[in-house]
Amino acid sequence: MLQTQETIINRQGYRLHMIQSNKFKTLHFVAKFISPLSREHVTKRALLPFVMQQATKNYPTANAFRQKLDDLYGSTFSMDGSKKGEMHIITARMSVVNPSYLSTDEPILAEAVQFFNEALFAPKVLDNGFDPKIIAREKQSLGQKIESIKDNKMQLANMRLIEEMCEGEVYKTHVHGYPEDFDAITSESLYNYYEQVIKKEPLDIYVIGDLSELNVEALFDQYIERATNGPIASMQAEEKTVTKPKEIIEEESLQQGKLHFGFRTHTHYSDDDYPALHVFNAIFGGFPSSKLFINVREKNSLAYYAASRFESHKGLLFVFSGIAPADFKKAKKIILEQLEAMRAGDFTDEQIAEAKLLITNQYKENLDEAYGMVEMLYNQQFSTKDSMDDFVARINAVTKSAIERVANRIELDTTYFLTQKGVE
Amino acid sequence: MQYNQINETVYQETLSNGLEVLLVPKPELEQTYGVFTTNYGSIDNQFVPLGEMNMVQVPDGIAHFLEHKLFEKEDHDVFQEFTALGSSANAFTSFTKTAYLFSTTTEIKKNTEILLDFVQAPYFSESSVEKEKGIIAQEIQMYDDQPDWRAFFGIIETMYENHPVKIDIAGTVDSIQNITKDDLYTCYHTFYHPSNMTFCLVGAFDAEEMLQVIRDNQSQKSFDPVQTIKRERVVEPAHVNKDHEVLHMPVVTEKCMIGIKETTTEKPTDFIKAELMSEMILDYFYSKSGAYYQELYDLDLIDGSLGFETERQLSFAFSLIGANSTDVEQFKAVVLKQLDTFKTYMFSDEAFTRMKRKMIGGLMREMNSTSNIANSVSQYHFLGIDYFKLLPMLEAITKEEVETFMHQWIKSDNVASFFIKKETQDD
């Protein structure tokens, strides 16, 4: 029932994924470059998407670049870097209104494809480098962005938790990069790095929308010149067993304390028990019917939010809640009791059935969202097992003992509490 | 009603109890989104309760408190009814509306009935009201720690003298302590009458079938006769309350908000034009393609975080421009100078075409999302505006209209500013 009509074609230098769908009034293009996460390159990879959106060969100022998008009926273009396990992905996204809804004869679509490719493959170059003025200004912006994370306490607590928990592992690398690297990055060195990304890294391009009348391959082939394309990288991440759980308490000027936990699941995307981890999380803390929400919020009125989320590739589980600073011990005890209850099998068959429905529902809803669909399809490449239909079948096959098994494998690694100055 | 240009169909019916039903079938989707909205929000804090004679004032934050409490019944929590079907449910309270919603990929009929039934069967008790105070206090404190939220309400408080838009939607930790179960019932009976509400469904369903489900559900319940709700009309001057305010907070990055207080209009065509034009103008100058964005960027006054928005309702309207800045004073000075140019600015034909095209594309993109469609169809319906007619209305706007609007937009006394500044270090 869950047919996504994805056709994958290996073109010269890239994999083209075409997804026919009549759900949208727009067409969407997504390009993804992937590389192992590394402390050495991360700041360059964080800067690149900003620099590339400032100027291209034919649109040499940010104004000209953005005005072209406006001319294309308010097309949108964005680019960013993200972490997936211990890999780093640079993603460019563009959407353009399907011309069949517009009263125009202009070749909007061909121009949009051209724009997308220009943004990726034809940046503005001065003397074998990017424009030094752009680099300087974008370093400054990125620096400010990194600083302002401190003004978002939830993000700050999350970042600090991962720093503490993954000390010594590459996963702790900040996706925004490090201001102390800025001085060493010149317009030439960044451009050299860019060329490596563009020429060497595995590239996947997704095109989604009503493609029935389009020759998508021809549209893209004319812009992409790459000798070869690597296979999608395999997702290896460092495994660590907890020797002694850490507890970190830090103070800030704030009203609400942020109590976050980091666990190791030892269950990964390609494992047989991966669907059971989904069901575990749905019962434990993924939804408003989950144990965390019911016990921390509804029964004890300690928090407005209390939830859990897992990371599939590195094998991590996080719990987040916002509590009054004085409630630390009480909230911590209740949260950890919920995990104990999961380990002891203290949940019913009805809860399991409900969890499966919730996951399936959420999964299908994602298929109504173009970029959500791309993320799922891209993820699928990292596993040999999954097709979309299989996923639902695998969720439905999860047994109670598998959920308990997953729960018992989960280890608490780090408790992080960001609290108010001067409150015990 | 069919809308050929965008390929959408809307089924609309007013039931005998006054409820407006709006159905937008989209069979190509997996998901269905339902939203039950009452024309009641945080600004409705003074009114004549149903069946009474005198105006009363209720505690700040009560509409939002009521939204939380409707989910709790005598023996269960309504979330559980939705999650048992695999659906998700939620609710939100704005200045003027409270909305309850679900999204699902199965059992549309059951989800619809649960939504209608739980909103129409309140159960408030002293103990459950007390319990909720702790949860909402944490919600308020979470927002209190967010500089963006503080800046948003900061600029509104600076602009408004009397209008209840200046009150934080969730109230304060103190104000919610005064809320009682009787207050909740008073608000509920006054504002949750079907004639003050809409029910909208967008997604994969058969419209005739669902219409019948809703009719049957409603005909089984009895309601008081339809009455007009008397809400206090606060007199608010056209000029800003204060020109400038500052809040000191423990922030790393300082913020500046500029607010334009606008005149209101109740005539639907004028309303929608004003809304579209103010959005179009702000976008033209302050989005990343805008000349004024570029100027602020070139002067190193923004870090890429510039934002703008327009909020227009029947009794208030304002537009905001805000950003993180390393020099809030200079940011303010430049933006005020830029806004001053609006008084005489003329667009080239090329520029006007571009700004309109961008708005058209934005509107089409919004229509990719079921939740956006459902919320917009509902909210515009209360204003007497048909959401799917926005596109032709937008297409009909002329350059001269936009210029005329813009030339009278900025006055000598309707612009205010608000800073979030670092705390002075003394420890």
Side-chain angles (χ1 to χ4, degrees):
Chain A
M1 279 308 290
L2 280 176
Q3 296 299 332
T4 46
Q5 302 185 12
E6 185 189 24
T7 311
I8 308 176
I9 309 178
N10 281 303
R11 306 299 299 174
Q12 177 70 40
Y14 68 107
R15 264 177 302 279
L16 180 63
H17 306 247
M18 292 180 285
I19 299 126
Q20 165 61 33
S21 169
N22 58 355
K23 288 176 182 174
F24 314 111
K25 292 190 164 58
T26 41
L27 288 153
H28 302 258
F29 319 134
V30 178
K32 285 177 174 285
F33 296 94
I34 187 165
S35 162
L37 182 64
S38 80
R39 172 65 188 83
E40 185 191 351
H41 295 303
V42 76
T43 308
K44 280 179 275 186
R45 293 183 79 84
L47 263 175
L48 258 186
F50 291 108
V51 171
M52 288 168 72
Q53 291 181 78
Q54 285 300 309
T56 67
K57 195 167 149 234
N58 291 308
Y59 309 107
T61 64
N63 245 209
F65 184 86
R66 292 284 155 190
Q67 282 184 4
K68 181 63 193 174
L69 287 165
D70 293 0
D71 282 335
L72 294 171
Y73 283 87
S75 292
T76 57
F77 181 89
S78 67
M79 219 175 157
D80 61 38
S82 60
K83 243 180 357 183
K84 189 182 279 296
E86 293 182 349
M87 302 298 284
H88 186 280
I89 297 160
I90 292 179
T91 306
R93 300 179 180 86
M94 180 162 178
S95 88
V96 56
V97 176
N98 187 327
S100 65
Y101 292 107
L102 299 171
S103 39
T104 175
D105 295 332
E106 292 168 57
I108 300 292
L109 206 55
E111 284 188 42
V113 174
Q114 184 184 4
F115 182 93
F116 186 69
N117 284 290
E118 163 137 359
L120 295 179
F121 301 111
K124 181 183 181 188
V125 182
L126 294 175
D127 307 326
N128 303 319
F130 289 115
D131 183 340
K133 266 201 228 132
I134 291 176
I135 303 276
R137 187 63 179 87
E138 291 305 318
K139 281 179 189 171
Q140 190 188 337
S141 279
L142 181 59
Q144 283 168 10
K145 197 173 174 163
I146 293 167
E147 270 290 284
S148 64
I149 290 174
K150 292 180 191 148
D151 288 338
N152 181 329
K153 303 301 176 212
M154 203 192 290
Q155 241 185 315
L156 174 64
N158 205 14
M159 187 180 87
R160 289 287 305 123
L161 168 67
I162 290 171
E163 275 178 347
E164 291 291 339
M165 177 169 172
C166 298
E167 182 60 49
E169 295 166 88
V170 66
Y171 189 79
K172 86 160 200 179
T173 310
H174 291 175
V175 73
H176 291 310
Y178 299 82
E180 65 260 34
D181 297 352
F182 287 168
D183 284 347
I185 299 175
T186 65
S187 37
E188 289 79 21
S189 72
L190 190 63
Y191 186 73
N192 287 340
Y193 186 75
Y194 158 81
E195 289 216 295
Q196 248 191 2
V197 172
I198 293 298
K199 288 186 179 149
K200 300 273 167 58
E201 290 183 7
L203 169 60
D204 289 89
I205 293 183
Y206 293 82
V207 183
I208 303 177
D210 188 357
L211 313 178
S212 45
E213 311 274 308
L214 295 175
N215 188 344
V216 179
E217 294 139 273
L219 270 173
F220 278 86
D221 271 352
Q222 49 177 314
Y223 299 107
I224 303 179
E225 287 175 45
R226 281 161 54 104
T228 53
N229 192 35
I232 191 87
S234 72
M235 188 58 77
Q236 298 290 337
E238 194 178 338
E239 262 300 283
K240 209 174 124 183
T241 315
V242 184
T243 40
K244 188 168 174 279
K246 288 191 209 177
E247 181 167 295
I248 312 285
I249 299 177
E250 292 180 324
E251 295 185 344
E252 281 274 330
S253 298
L254 46 71
Q255 299 194 39
Q256 182 179 77
K258 303 290 178 192
L259 176 56
H260 292 199
F261 298 84
F263 301 86
R264 309 252 174 196
T265 63
H266 305 294
T267 302
H268 303 89
Y269 190 73
S270 292
D271 296 349
D272 289 336
D273 269 345
Y274 181 68
L277 178 63
H278 262 281
V279 182
F280 162 86
N281 187 57
I283 301 173
F284 177 59
F287 293 92
S289 53
S290 305
K291 285 180 179 290
L292 289 178
F293 192 87
I294 298 294
N295 289 287
V296 179
R297 171 168 155 152
E298 296 301 313
K299 290 201 179 143
N300 288 286
S301 296
L302 290 174
Y304 170 63
Y305 66 91
S308 65
R309 183 173 67 73
F310 61 97
E311 196 282 336
S312 304
H313 300 285
K314 171 81 176 161
L316 307 174
L317 173 80
F318 301 106
V319 169
F320 314 94
S321 68
I323 58 170
D327 289 333
F328 171 59
K329 286 203 175 91
K330 192 173 172 195
K332 180 180 153 191
K333 180 166 170 282
I334 292 170
I335 288 169
L336 294 176
E337 277 169 4
Q338 305 317 307
L339 180 60
E340 284 310 318
M342 292 300 299
R343 285 178 174 146
D346 180 12
F347 48 91
T348 63
D349 289 345
E350 287 74 32
Q351 281 173 296
I352 299 173
E354 176 182 309
K356 290 176 178 176
L357 280 173
L358 286 164
I359 295 163
T360 309
N361 189 52
Q362 198 174 56
Y363 185 75
K364 286 188 192 171
E365 284 186 0
N366 250 326
L367 299 178
D368 283 344
E369 211 272 304
Y371 295 135
M373 209 187 305
V374 171
E375 291 308 316
M376 282 196 285
L377 292 169
Y378 190 66
N379 242 343
Q380 235 175 70
Q381 299 196 101
F382 297 108
S383 171
T384 45
K385 288 197 178 67
D386 241 356
S387 86
M388 294 234 175
D389 288 347
D390 279 0
F391 179 80
V392 175
R394 288 178 67 205
I395 290 290
N396 284 327
V398 169
T399 61
K400 186 165 192 229
S401 63
I403 302 168
E404 286 176 40
R405 185 166 64 232
V406 164
N408 280 292
R409 215 181 286 144
I410 292 172
E411 293 180 291
L412 174 62
D413 187 302
T414 302
T415 305
Y416 179 82
F417 188 46
L418 186 64
T419 188
Q420 200 172 42
K421 273 185 187 148
V423 173
E424 264 307 293
Chain B
M1 187 80 176
Q2 271 219 307
Y3 303 85
N4 291 325
Q5 185 183 4
I6 46 170
N7 195 20
E8 300 287 1
T9 308
V10 180
Y11 295 78
Q12 191 244 326
E13 183 168 308
T14 311
L15 304 186
S16 57
N17 63 17
L19 179 65
E20 290 284 340
V21 180
L22 298 148
L23 305 180
V24 187
K26 290 174 77 67
E28 67 277 15
L29 298 182
E30 300 282 344
Q31 183 193 31
T32 293
Y33 182 96
V35 59
F36 196 12
T37 310
T38 167
N39 190 15
Y40 166 57
S42 66
I43 65 167
D44 300 300
N45 66 340
Q46 290 186 66
F47 57 91
V48 178
L50 186 77
E52 292 183 26
M53 299 295 289
N54 300 319
M55 199 62 82
V56 299
Q57 178 157 4
V58 288
D60 293 348
I62 195 163
H64 171 258
F65 201 104
L66 174 48
E67 173 229 294
H68 272 237
K69 281 299 27 149
L70 262 190
F71 282 95
E72 193 170 315
K73 303 303 173 200
E74 188 168 6
D75 53 354
H76 72 290
D77 191 308
V78 178
F79 276 123
Q80 281 25 305
E81 288 186 64
F82 285 105
T83 52
L85 299 174
S87 322
S88 54
N90 213 333
F92 61 86
T93 306
S94 69
F95 291 123
T96 59
K97 306 285 181 294
T98 313
Y100 300 84
L101 56 97
F102 69 79
S103 84
T104 190
T105 57
T106 52
E107 308 268 13
I108 298 166
K109 182 169 170 275
K110 271 196 204 160
N111 279 288
T112 296
E113 287 170 341
I114 297 170
L115 176 55
L116 288 166
D117 290 347
F118 97 78
V119 173
Q120 293 184 327
Y123 172 81
F124 308 131
S125 71
E126 295 292 357
S127 66
S128 80
V129 167
E130 287 314 306
K131 192 202 78 177
E132 201 67 21
K133 288 175 182 172
I135 296 171
I136 295 181
Q138 280 311 315
E139 185 178 3
I140 292 168
Q141 297 204 311
M142 176 180 81
Y143 283 114
D144 281 347
D145 282 334
Q146 295 176 5
D148 286 321
W149 186 253
R150 300 293 291 271
F152 179 73
F153 271 96
I155 187 69
I156 296 172
E157 277 179 42
T158 313
M159 287 188 287
Y160 287 87
E161 187 179 342
N162 305 315
H163 196 286
V165 67
K166 65 190 282 184
I167 301 164
D168 194 314
I169 292 169
T172 65
V173 173
D174 288 338
S175 78
I176 61 168
Q177 304 309 322
N178 301 320
I179 293 174
T180 65
K181 110 181 169 346
D182 294 335
D183 291 336
L184 294 180
Y185 277 117
T186 301
C187 294
Y188 181 84
H189 289 306
T190 307
F191 293 107
Y192 282 70
H193 191 280
S195 61
N196 193 42
M197 302 184 72
T198 62
F199 184 84
C200 181
L201 211 53
V202 180
F205 56 83
D206 180 89
E208 289 300 338
E209 188 193 332
M210 286 313 298
L211 204 49
Q212 197 53 46
V213 167
I214 298 163
R215 281 190 204 118
D216 290 347
N217 176 283
Q218 292 298 287
S219 65
Q220 288 164 15
K221 300 172 187 170
S222 60
F223 296 95
D224 293 318
V226 176
Q227 282 183 15
T228 311
I229 302 167
K230 291 192 197 83
R231 306 172 202 236
E232 179 75 354
R233 281 177 177 248
V234 176
V235 181
E236 175 68 34
H239 58 79
V240 292
N241 182 30
K242 291 174 196 156
D243 293 332
H244 184 65
E245 280 286 330
V246 181
L247 173 70
H248 290 273
M249 258 185 98
V251 291
V252 181
T253 316
E254 300 193 331
K255 286 177 192 297
C256 174
M257 286 285 242
I258 305 288
I260 309 166
K261 189 174 177 180
E262 297 169 43
T263 50
T264 56
T265 168
E266 293 195 2
K267 196 180 152 203
T269 47
D270 293 344
F271 183 99
I272 199 66
K273 270 191 180 169
E275 181 173 277
L276 291 170
M277 290 192 290
S278 42
E279 280 174 19
M280 202 164 20
I281 294 166
L282 287 178
D283 195 279
Y284 178 76
F285 289 104
Y286 289 103
S287 71
K288 283 184 179 165
S289 59
Y292 289 172
Y293 176 96
Q294 194 63 40
E295 183 180 14
L296 292 163
Y297 187 87
D298 290 341
L299 291 167
D300 285 354
L301 291 172
I302 49 172
D303 62 2
S305 70
L306 185 75
F308 54 88
E309 66 180 281
T310 279
E311 172 78 41
R312 178 167 287 276
Q313 296 294 339
L314 292 176
S315 68
F316 65 91
F318 57 82
S319 293
L320 306 177
I321 300 161
N324 294 341
S325 184
T326 46
D327 187 346
V328 286
E329 301 283 353
Q330 193 57 23
F331 174 87
K332 173 187 164 182
V334 173
V335 172
L336 292 182
K337 219 162 73 198
Q338 291 172 338
L339 291 179
D340 208 48
T341 66
F342 283 11
K343 291 172 183 165
T344 53
Y345 199 92
M346 308 294 269
F347 295 103
S348 68
D349 288 338
E350 189 201 350
F352 184 69
T353 306
R354 179 182 297 134
M355 68 197 270
K356 212 156 132 178
R357 280 184 166 203
K358 186 176 185 186
M359 279 290 280
I360 290 170
L363 211 54
M364 304 289 273
R365 192 164 293 107
E366 278 177 23
M367 291 182 198
N368 278 341
S369 145
T370 50
S371 58
N372 256 333
I373 294 176
N375 288 318
S376 297
V377 164
S378 305
Q379 310 231 350
Y380 282 112
H381 189 80
F382 285 115
L383 300 162
I385 294 161
D386 181 343
Y387 174 63
F388 288 117
K389 284 196 185 144
L390 249 54
L391 190 60
M393 286 194 244
L394 174 62
E395 283 176 332
I397 291 175
T398 64
K399 181 164 96 77
E400 290 67 33
E401 278 179 297
V402 177
E403 285 168 353
T404 307
F405 176 85
M406 192 164 77
H407 293 166
Q408 56 73 49
W409 197 9
I410 309 299
K411 302 181 180 72
S412 60
D413 61 358
N414 74 335
V415 179
S417 55
F418 184 83
F419 293 161
I420 301 262
K421 297 197 81 166
K422 292 176 189 177
E423 278 176 341
T424 31
Q425 292 292 316
D426 52 11
D427 48 16

